């Protein structure tokens, strides 16, 4: 009898590495090149949960394992530009500071601001953070500080005649701290850095798209790497192989999992992970299990999805109902009447707001998905879509 592997071979919390990571060979090659080539700038952009950060972190690790210097600063939660500065300083200290003993003092000496140092209990490293009072200063001053930190890292690398790879993950959040001016400031700063290889990564479609078209802040500055789904055949085989580590009888569930979960890697792996738990309990996995497991996830996420639904206006809710159930375009008279949508201009505005808020996607080269629904819109999350079908269509007398 084959040995039963107890730990689940699919991971969905945070980024994945090692055996939990598959594919992305071409993307990794481009990313490593960008992180090591002086003055290079690569924009990695694609929808949420596609696997951007995991791929980039794997590239960062490859660079560091080969004796280079690269780090990732996660800017997604920053509430001020100063928070971004702290993220960059901390990530740089953890990676580069470990290799170059004088790195931190060198950077601080190049900055004209007060930096406090605290021992990190986990790594034992002295970690820098900017004066808290700076968070209250105007955004212009804060952005200048951000530029000065990147300048200092570039100058330090230049003095050592080397290149540092910097990933600014969810970099588009800079927009919160000064709109387009902030984006242009960032361009002005990074275009001067001949000793940094940048990766700018992001998932907020409407912001990034505007940056890369003519007259946008990143126009002709960056190489572009649209980040799409993993090849479905490859992923399906990989899922089946990992399912089999359970020692159980497993049908081809990889393909059906991808079909039910859609193109986003995390959604697919989430269904695979739960399916594996099912395999361990039942000793087998069939097509029926895939559907059962998918609905289990929808049920488990009910509270969150219900809260999400309740946070929307009645008009937004009606547009979502139309997206799942209408057989015609969103602004056609038939759809407008059936789903009580009001004037067509308002419908388009609401749909755009739902796209910008991350609830819907629309047919667009950016999303790597041709939207096959009659409305031309689809849900960002397959779980929210299923929830809307299961829980809200009967409100308007439609079958679930
Ligand atoms: N190459 C991969 N192999 C296997 N699983 C992956 C891979 N890439 C991503 N995943 C799965 O997707 C999840 C999300 O990955 P990751 O956080 O890298 O995506 P992201 O595009 O950065 O998402 P976000 O938009 O939330 O920042 C991982 O936890 C893992 O479950
Ligand atoms: Mg990410």
């Amino acid at each position: 009898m084959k040995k039963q592997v107890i730990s689940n071979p699919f991971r969905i919390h945070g980024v994945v590495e090692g055996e939990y990571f598959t594919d992305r060979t071409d993307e990794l090659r481009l990313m490593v090149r960008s992180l090591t080539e002086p003055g290079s700038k690569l924009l990695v952009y694609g929808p949420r949960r596609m696997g951007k950060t995991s791929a980039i972190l794997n590239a960062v690790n490859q660079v560091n394992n080969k004796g280079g210097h690269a780090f990732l600063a996660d800017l997604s939660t920053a509430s001020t530009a100063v928070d971004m500065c702290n993220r960059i300083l901390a990530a740089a200290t953890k990676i580069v500071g470990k290799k170059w003993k004088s790195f931190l003092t060198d950077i601080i000496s190049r900055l004209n601001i007060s930096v406090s140092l605290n021992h990190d209990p986990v790594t034992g490293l002295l970690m820098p953070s900017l004066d808290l009072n700076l968070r209250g200063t105007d955004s212009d001053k804060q952005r200048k500080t951000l530029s000065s930190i990147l300048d200092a890292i570039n100058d330090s690398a230049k003095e050592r005649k080397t290149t540092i790879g910097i990933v600014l993950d969810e970099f588009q959040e800079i927009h919160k701290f000064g709109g387009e001016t902030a984006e242009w400031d960032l361009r002005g700063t990074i275009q001067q850095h001949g000793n940094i290889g940048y990766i700018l990564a992001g998932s907020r479609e409407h912001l990034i798209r505007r940056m890369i078209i003519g007259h946008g802040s990143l126009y002709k500055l960056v190489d572009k790497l649209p980040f799409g789904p993993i090849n479905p055949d490859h992923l399906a085989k990989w899922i089946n192989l990992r399912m089999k580590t359970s020692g159980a009888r497993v049908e081809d569930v990889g393909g059906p999992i991808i079909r039910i979960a859609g193109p986003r890697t995390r959604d697919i792996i989430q269904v695979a992970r739960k399916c594996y738990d099912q395999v361990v309990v039942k000793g087998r996995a069939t097509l029926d299990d895939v559907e059962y497991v998918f609905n289990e996830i929808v049920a488990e996420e009910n509270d969150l999805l219900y809260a999400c639904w309740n946070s929307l206006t009645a008009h937004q809710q009606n547009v979502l109902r139309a997206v799942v159930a209408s057989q015609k375009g969103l602004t056609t008279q038939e759809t407008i009447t059936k789903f009580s949508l009001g004037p067509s201009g308002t419908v388009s505005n609401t749909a755009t707001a739902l796209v910008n808020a991350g609830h819907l996607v629309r047919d667009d080269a950016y999303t790597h998905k041709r939207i096959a629904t009659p409305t031309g819109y689809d849900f960002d999350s397959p779980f929210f879509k299923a929830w809307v079908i299961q829980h809200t269509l009967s409100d308007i007398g439609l079958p679930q």
Side-chain angles (χ1 to χ4, degrees), residues 301-313 316-317 320 354 357-359 379 381 384 387-388:
E301 296 196 352
N302 179 62
D303 287 357
L304 267 177
L305 299 172
Y306 180 58
C308 182
W309 178 258
N310 272 339
S311 72
L312 301 170
T313 64
Q316 288 174 325
Q317 293 175 344
L320 291 184
L354 287 166
H359 295 301
F379 277 62
S381 159
F384 192 31
W387 187 90
V388 169

Side-chain angles (χ1 to χ4, degrees), residues 35-311:
L35 291 171
T36 48
E37 212 170 73
S40 158
K41 288 155 197 68
L42 181 68
L43 172 69
V44 178
Y45 62 107
R48 302 269 346 253
R49 309 186 306 284
M50 204 56 107
K52 298 173 297 300
T53 306
S54 295
I56 296 171
L57 255 192
N58 278 267
V60 164
N61 291 343
Q62 276 189 27
V63 172
N64 288 320
N65 291 341
K66 285 187 188 148
H69 319 285
F71 66 86
L72 178 145
D74 175 4
L75 308 183
S76 61
T77 55
S79 307
T80 64
V82 166
D83 300 351
M84 291 187 162
C85 298
N86 282 329
R87 285 282 183 167
I88 294 169
L89 277 177
T93 306
K94 272 191 190 141
I95 303 289
V96 190
K98 243 196 221 157
K99 303 181 185 178
W100 303 344
K101 290 298 163 224
S102 58
F103 175 74
L104 191 51
T105 40
D106 180 26
I107 296 293
I108 293 173
S109 71
R110 292 173 194 273
L111 297 173
N112 200 10
I113 38 175
S114 112
V115 178
S116 57
L117 298 172
N118 298 301
H119 266 289
D120 180 73
V122 181
T123 59
L125 285 171
L126 269 180
M127 297 305 286
S129 62
L130 300 187
D131 183 349
L132 264 182
N133 293 326
L134 257 178
R135 287 183 98 233
T137 58
D138 65 70
S139 57
D140 199 40
K141 184 167 180 200
Q142 295 194 28
R143 290 200 312 273
K144 284 205 174 82
T145 307
L146 179 62
S147 296
S148 67
I149 287 170
L150 295 171
D151 288 344
I153 297 174
N154 182 67
D155 293 346
S156 181
K158 189 172 177 183
E159 205 168 276
R160 289 173 163 90
K161 297 190 175 51
T162 189
T163 301
I164 294 180
I166 300 185
V167 183
L168 301 179
D169 199 9
E170 303 298 349
F171 79 100
Q172 78 277 325
E173 297 310 305
I174 187 78
H175 186 86
K176 285 197 293 214
F177 315 126
E180 289 189 42
T181 314
E183 297 166 17
W184 282 94
D185 279 1
L186 185 68
R187 178 191 178 107
T189 302
I190 68 175
Q191 71 182 357
Q192 292 171 28
H193 293 162
N195 287 74
I196 295 178
Y198 280 103
I199 291 183
L200 304 178
S203 49
R204 301 256 303 252
E205 172 197 3
H206 61 294
L207 291 178
I208 294 178
R209 192 191 344 213
R210 196 182 30 69
M211 292 184 204
I212 54 184
I213 56 176
H215 308 299
S217 56
L218 298 181
Y219 183 59
K220 288 196 172 166
L221 176 74
V222 291
D223 292 325
K224 297 192 275 294
L225 174 58
F227 200 88
I230 294 179
N231 177 296
D233 292 336
H234 168 92
L235 193 54
K237 280 190 197 127
W238 184 76
I239 289 172
N240 287 336
L241 270 178
R242 294 197 61 80
M243 285 287 173
K244 285 183 181 145
T245 60
S246 63
R249 240 175 348 107
V250 181
E251 285 178 16
D252 169 21
V253 288
I257 286 175
I258 293 171
R259 274 194 292 284
I260 201 165
R264 313 289 177 87
T265 316
R266 188 184 192 278
D267 299 340
I268 296 166
I269 303 298
Q270 187 173 358
V271 178
R273 181 177 164 83
K274 192 139 187 78
C275 203
Y276 182 89
D277 289 341
Q278 185 75 1
V279 168
V280 171
V281 173
K282 286 175 61 179
R284 65 187 167 84
T286 64
L287 292 188
D288 290 344
D289 292 317
V290 173
E291 202 176 330
Y292 170 79
V293 155
F294 180 84
N295 285 324
E296 278 282 294
I297 295 175
V298 176
E300 280 169 11
E301 296 196 352
N302 179 62
D303 287 357
L304 267 177
L305 299 172
Y306 180 58
C308 182
W309 178 258
N310 272 339
S311 72

Side-chain angles (χ1 to χ4, degrees), residues 340-389:
S340 321
L341 298 184
S344 64
T346 323
V347 179
S348 303
N349 288 343
T350 299
T352 301
L354 287 166
V355 169
N356 292 349
H359 295 301
L360 291 180
V361 291
R362 71 176 130 218
D363 203 352
D364 189 302
Y366 176 92
T367 60
H368 303 283
K369 189 176 176 197
R370 295 211 59 81
I371 308 295
T373 62
T375 60
Y377 290 86
D378 204 350
F379 277 62
D380 177 82
S381 159
F383 309 117
F384 192 31
K385 181 177 186 177
W387 187 90
V388 169
I389 294 172

